[in-house]
Amino acid sequence: MYRSSFFLLLPLLAVPACEDSEHPDRLDVIGTYGATTFTWTGLIGETKDMLALGASISLTLNADNTTAGRLYVPFADEIVPALDEDLTGTWEIAGTTVTLDHETNTFLCYMGFIADGSRLTGELLWPDNSYHVVLSK
């Protein structure tokens, strides 16, 4: 009797482990990130490696759901303007998606980042351009 009850409960014990692997805990994403990929693609398909042009993104996700960091893009050309923005604000996680809300209005606020281990990966598609960003701890 006891043995069969154990086997009936076994599937219930496995469910939380599956959910944890699919939905990172908010503590898992807390930390400091730097851009390891940052590309911009224009309307006609031209792609610019923004890191190679001197751009950088540093972002800290704090335990109190505040953010700190900087988005820097040197003047690339008349299409991609120069930026030097403070990323002070807040962050949230829902499922595997991290969203940002900072005082400056940058494309990062419109991008949902997928949390995967020590990386946050985001892609933003607009009618006339797109951004692809990978932030790594």
Side-chain angles (χ1 to χ4, degrees):
M1 173 89 174
Y2 293 112
R3 187 176 282 177
S4 62
S5 297
F6 174 76
F7 287 111
L8 290 173
L9 293 175
L10 190 59
L12 296 176
L13 297 174
V15 170
C18 294
E19 288 179 359
D20 288 345
S21 66
E22 294 175 6
H23 298 96
D25 187 279
R26 67 179 278 292
L27 295 176
D28 293 336
V29 298
I30 292 170
T32 299
Y33 296 83
T36 52
T37 302
F38 179 11
T39 59
W40 173 90
T41 302
L43 182 61
I44 60 173
E46 73 278 20
T47 297
K48 295 184 185 293
D49 179 346
M50 301 309 292
L51 297 177
L53 295 172
S56 63
I57 303 172
S58 62
L59 178 67
T60 300
L61 303 180
N62 296 306
D64 63 356
N65 286 79
T66 60
T67 61
R70 178 177 180 224
L71 166 63
Y72 175 72
V73 178
F75 179 75
D77 58 29
E78 56 280 345
I79 298 173
V80 182
L83 294 172
D84 191 0
E85 302 291 348
D86 182 4
L87 299 181
T88 298
T90 59
W91 68 276
E92 294 182 12
I93 186 167
T96 60
T97 303
V98 173
T99 54
L100 305 175
D101 183 19
H102 42 260
E103 296 169 13
T104 56
N105 188 19
T106 71
F107 65 91
L108 297 172
C109 287
Y110 301 100
M111 186 180 284
F113 288 90
I114 303 302
D116 182 19
S118 61
R119 296 182 344 160
L120 300 174
T121 302
E123 187 142 22
L124 178 62
L125 304 172
W126 279 339
D128 57 348
N129 61 46
S130 64
Y131 295 91
H132 179 73
V133 175
V134 177
L135 303 173
S136 301
K137 282 188 183 179

